[in-house]
Amino acid sequence: MIEIKGVTKQFKEKKVFLTALKHVSFTVKQGQIVGLLGENGAGKTTLLRTIATLLSPTDGQVLVAGHDTVESPNEVKKRIGVLFGGETGLYERLTARENLEYFALLYGMSKHETKVRIDDLAKMFGMRDYLDRKVGGFSKGMRQKVAIARTIIHNPDIILFDEPTTGLDITSSNVFRQLVHQLKRDGKTIVFSSHIMDEVSMLCDSVAMIHKGELVFHGNLEALYKTEASRDLNYIFMSKLVRGNEHAS
Ligand SMILES: Nc1ncnc2c1ncn2[C@@H]1O[C@H](COP(=O)(O)OP(=O)(O)O)[C@@H](O)[C@H]1O
Ligand SMILES: [Mg+2]
């Protein structure tokens, strides 16, 4: 479970304060798939980085499985896997297996534990044919699989993806979607940011919409479709933004 409680994040740039998140509160329950929607600069990455302990909130707090991200970052890190858009973080000169072994080592996993986990992931993601080939020669789709496997090498309950399909071709985007379905079946909690409405409506149970640092909606997708009398998430999103602005001004 992730509890985001009144989170405000300010950045200071040349004596000017910029508020990237304003009193954002919502809860993600175990096993939920949540889409984080928002335009460029809305605050999606800042929120994901805050959950991942990479940023401290200026005000408010985030609890991951009951652990405060500022007070107990190590407890939080154990329980989450994080993949930030575009960056696979893989070493080209190493094989897929060697890459995964390297990250397992960083998490303090034993040799045996690592071997079993890599075998499981290779089977689950269909990577067995190229596990011992160098990543340098891989297609984007193959890299994406290895990158996601790396993200969850320590078998975290919670996985955060920042714009996971931005810049990917259709085949690699489909790889991501399949893997999310698989992880959902395993009971994982997933939060991912996106500006692709179809992707969010296909994969998510609920959505959190952020506009200029403020949460304008959080809740179940089906319930949202009902109250809005539409299944067009793009249309709903735009109208929420308009209403959000009216509300603010
Ligand atoms: N390290 C930083 N220093 C200063 N401003 C930042 C920093 N990170 C993000 N911002 C600002 O915070 C706002 C939200 O950014 P971000 O979370 O990256 O949005 P999104 O991921 O939704 O595109 C933007 O105005 C951005 O310029
Ligand atoms: Mg971003």
Side-chain angles (χ1 to χ4, degrees):
M1 183 152 96
I2 307 170
E3 296 160 88
I4 298 155
K5 297 178 165 186
V7 168
T8 293
K9 180 65 190 179
Q10 286 187 326
F11 292 110
K12 196 179 173 188
E13 246 184 23
K14 295 177 189 160
K15 292 181 184 171
V16 178
F17 283 104
L18 184 146
T19 308
L21 294 172
K22 295 173 199 166
H23 306 290
V24 173
S25 298
F26 67 96
T27 297
V28 180
K29 292 195 192 112
Q30 184 67 36
Q32 269 191 333
I33 313 291
V34 180
L36 204 54
L37 284 174
E39 298 169 323
N40 261 338
K44 303 181 295 297
T45 301
T46 302
L47 182 59
L48 290 173
R49 289 177 68 84
T50 306
I51 300 169
T53 78
L54 303 171
L55 289 172
S56 324
T58 309
D59 193 27
Q61 66 170 172
V62 178
L63 301 177
V64 174
H67 300 280
D68 187 297
T69 53
V70 176
E71 278 163 23
S72 319
N74 291 332
E75 289 300 322
V76 174
K77 281 185 203 161
K78 265 193 252 173
R79 292 170 172 83
I80 59 171
V82 192
L83 186 60
F84 284 98
E87 292 169 31
T88 59
L90 300 173
Y91 296 96
E92 304 275 305
R93 286 161 177 272
L94 300 183
T95 65
R97 187 193 300 277
E98 287 163 348
N99 266 286
L100 296 175
E101 282 170 350
Y102 173 73
F103 288 101
L105 199 65
L106 294 184
Y107 281 103
M109 291 167 64
S110 76
K111 271 206 168 140
H112 176 71
E113 213 182 343
T114 302
K115 191 184 177 317
V116 172
R117 180 71 178 148
I118 291 177
D119 283 347
D120 281 352
L121 287 169
K123 204 160 133 191
M124 182 175 164
F125 292 1
M127 303 188 298
R128 278 189 288 192
D129 290 346
Y130 52 85
L131 201 54
D132 293 303
R133 278 171 47 194
K134 285 201 170 71
V135 168
F138 285 11
S139 70
K140 273 192 174 178
M142 289 153 82
R143 281 165 198 263
Q144 179 77 349
K145 285 189 187 184
V146 183
I148 294 174
R150 166 187 86 77
T151 303
I152 60 171
I153 191 77
H154 55 306
N155 203 8
D157 284 336
I158 298 167
I159 308 159
L160 312 176
F161 293 116
D162 192 21
E163 307 247 3
T165 57
T166 300
L168 289 184
D169 55 23
I170 293 172
T171 315
S172 322
S173 301
N174 286 337
V175 165
F176 170 75
R177 288 169 200 169
Q178 276 170 19
L179 295 185
V180 168
H181 280 300
Q182 236 155 349
L183 295 169
K184 183 184 165 70
R185 263 181 260 132
D186 277 358
K188 303 293 185 191
T189 308
I190 300 173
V191 182
F192 75 91
S193 67
S194 183
H195 53 256
I196 305 165
M197 300 293 167
D198 285 346
E199 187 167 274
V200 170
S201 54
M202 268 192 287
L203 294 174
C204 298
D205 311 307
S206 58
V207 289
M209 295 181 179
I210 300 185
H211 186 53
K212 295 182 179 165
E214 286 184 82
L215 188 73
V216 292
F217 176 79
H218 169 253
N220 179 273
L221 258 182
E222 285 303 323
L224 178 67
Y225 293 150
K226 251 191 195 153
T227 52
E228 298 288 329
S230 164
R231 296 187 74 84
D232 183 344
L233 193 54
N234 198 35
Y235 167 79
I236 296 172
F237 179 66
M238 294 314 292
S239 62
K240 283 271 180 206
L241 293 200
V242 173
R243 277 179 271 160
N245 279 341
E246 278 170 359
H247 180 73
S249 59

